[in-house]
Amino acid sequence: MQKTALVVGASGIGGSNLAAELIARGWTVHGLARNPRDTLPGLRPVAADLLDPASLDTALANIAPTHVFITAWMRQATEAENIRVNGAMVRNVLAALAPKKSVLHVSLVTGLKHYLGPFEAYASAGTLPETPLREEQPRLPIENFYYEQEDELFAAAARDGFSWNVHRPHTVIGKAVGNAMNMGTTLAVYAALCKETGRLFQWPGSRAQWEGLSDVTDARQLAAQLIWAAETESAHDTAFNIVNGDSFRWQWLWGRLADWFGVDAAGFDGTIHPLEQAIAGDHDLWRAMAQRHGLAEPDLDRLASAWHTDLDLGRPIEVMTDMTRSRQRGFTGYQTTEDSFFDLFARLRAERLIP
């Protein structure tokens, strides 16, 4: 059977890497986004507004996917708005596809905020979970847009009879421009600014993150698990954590990232130094650097998402993720975290996104 995928959020970190891997494996791939890009050979771009059912009906009129991968979300000012908007996105796209009766499987990408809480209460006192984070841990007793997205998925699966998976990555490391959560590129831009100005590559986060164990998710590892779960019947109808498979301490990794860029690193000094403040005045500098080095993106805000990196690196606990559930069912993917960052940095430099 020819597998046809609809990747919702195909221009983001997770969606773009997933689309590339699906195409490499011979799938027919439609990439849905508000402003889709046609830079990936083989991707069939689909332009639609996920909050406009009529727009979706029109855009998907001649598309009957067998598999749907939902990797998109929209950041809102409050968690109540996150719930309303991001729940509607899942509901609308699955409702638009329901009359076709073509969908066999739907995959939803959420994340570790399932365990840590939403942005408004991110890893705050009173909601700190036990680590390593495990899929069987119950939902937190607070509002969370990931829960709303899951509930929309479950309701549509019960209505339309498709199988499903939920995938919960930690911080995703991969290349994307204009992405709302992009630690890898944010740190690359920060290092480039430090090199330009002679500043120290100062650790921006908490003592707990500096000294504790952590992990991340390479976008290629996320893509591999998404495809494995969609194609493996024994993996259907469950949620999976997904990280690289190794653990590290930032106090070990930070100096290695600095060495890659040829800058001097400074570790935790007893104070949090938010990146959002550190680079707040660097927009004109980055624009000048882009002109001088011939960079492809002069807008600092299109590359760096300092607010999100600050949330991750400022958490008051170490965060590790257990992957026993998918390992027991046959997923064997593994990625070295150091290489995740170095591969990304090399790609950003090759594509003229950093000097």
Side-chain angles (χ1 to χ4, degrees), residues 74-88:
M74 296 182 187
R75 184 189 181 196
Q76 304 299 311
T78 67
E79 192 60 19
E81 278 299 289
N82 276 327
I83 289 169
R84 183 186 68 82
V85 168
N86 290 284

Side-chain angles (χ1 to χ4, degrees), residues 14 18 109 167 169 172 217-227 242:
L18 171 63
V109 177
H167 300 261
V172 179
T217 306
D218 191 297
R220 298 167 294 187
Q221 174 85 330
L222 173 58
Q225 194 196 63
L226 281 160
I227 299 170
I242 174 62

Side-chain angles (χ1 to χ4, degrees), residues 293-297 347-355:
H293 296 287
L295 302 183
E297 181 51 72
R347 183 177 179 188
L348 294 174
R349 182 166 286 172
E351 296 186 20
R352 296 186 301 107
L353 289 168
I354 59 172

Side-chain angles (χ1 to χ4, degrees), residues 104-128:
L104 303 176
H105 187 83
V106 177
S107 303
L108 171 66
V109 177
T110 60
L112 295 196
K113 288 187 294 298
H114 183 94
Y115 311 106
L116 297 169
F119 294 124
E120 292 177 2
Y122 201 40
S124 60
T127 61
L128 300 181

Side-chain angles (χ1 to χ4, degrees), residues 233-250:
E233 187 173 350
S234 62
H236 290 173
D237 301 332
T238 193
F240 293 116
N241 291 334
I242 174 62
V243 288
N244 281 353
D246 63 354
S247 298
F248 65 92
R249 287 184 170 86
W250 280 105

Side-chain angles (χ1 to χ4, degrees), residues 105-160:
H105 187 83
V106 177
S107 303
L108 171 66
V109 177
T110 60
L112 295 196
K113 288 187 294 298
H114 183 94
Y115 311 106
L116 297 169
F119 294 124
E120 292 177 2
Y122 201 40
S124 60
T127 61
L128 300 181
E130 182 181 1
T131 58
L133 303 172
R134 299 177 182 275
E135 294 96 341
E136 62 267 22
Q137 290 174 220
R139 290 181 176 184
L140 300 172
I142 53 178
E143 292 186 328
N144 190 323
F145 81 84
Y146 283 168
Y147 304 162
E148 182 73 10
Q149 288 185 309
E150 285 189 347
D151 289 343
E152 293 290 352
L153 171 66
F154 301 155
R159 178 192 67 210
D160 299 332

